[in-house]
Amino acid sequence: MRLRVEFTTEPFDLDEVPAHAVVAREVVQDAELDSVDVGPFGNTAEGGAEAVLGTVDTLLRRSLAAGATRISLQVNVIGAGEGGR
């Protein structure tokens, strides 16, 4: 199964990148995922289910420890078998 995760961390800071956002970026970029797209208002990563789920666990733990007060995420099944098959 392949998954796509989309996430944002808060609070936002328009003057400089918050520590929790830097940590989140490092987590997804260092993970063994097939693709990663990091942007100022949202981030996306794709890969196998185990890689994505492990990355989400690390992302949540490390971002919260770095000061995130809210992490919004969405996980979707992608590719063959979309729709839960």
Side-chain angles (χ1 to χ4, degrees):
M1 177 185 311
R2 289 186 44 77
L3 300 176
R4 175 185 303 126
V5 61
E6 300 173 54
F7 66 92
T8 58
T9 62
E10 295 178 42
F12 296 112
D13 185 335
L14 297 177
D15 295 325
E16 63 182 74
V17 180
H20 59 80
V22 172
V23 165
R25 179 180 64 219
E26 290 171 352
V27 167
V28 295
Q29 288 177 332
D30 292 345
E32 293 190 23
L33 300 170
D34 298 335
S35 68
V36 173
D37 182 21
V38 177
F41 300 108
N43 309 284
T44 305
E46 295 181 7
E50 290 305 313
V52 170
L53 294 173
T55 300
V56 166
D57 178 62
T58 303
L59 169 78
L60 292 171
R61 292 174 189 277
R62 291 193 51 206
S63 296
L64 290 168
T69 57
R70 170 184 261 183
I71 302 168
S72 301
L73 65 91
Q74 178 174 299
V75 178
N76 293 306
V77 175
I78 59 171
E82 247 179 63
R85 288 189 287 255

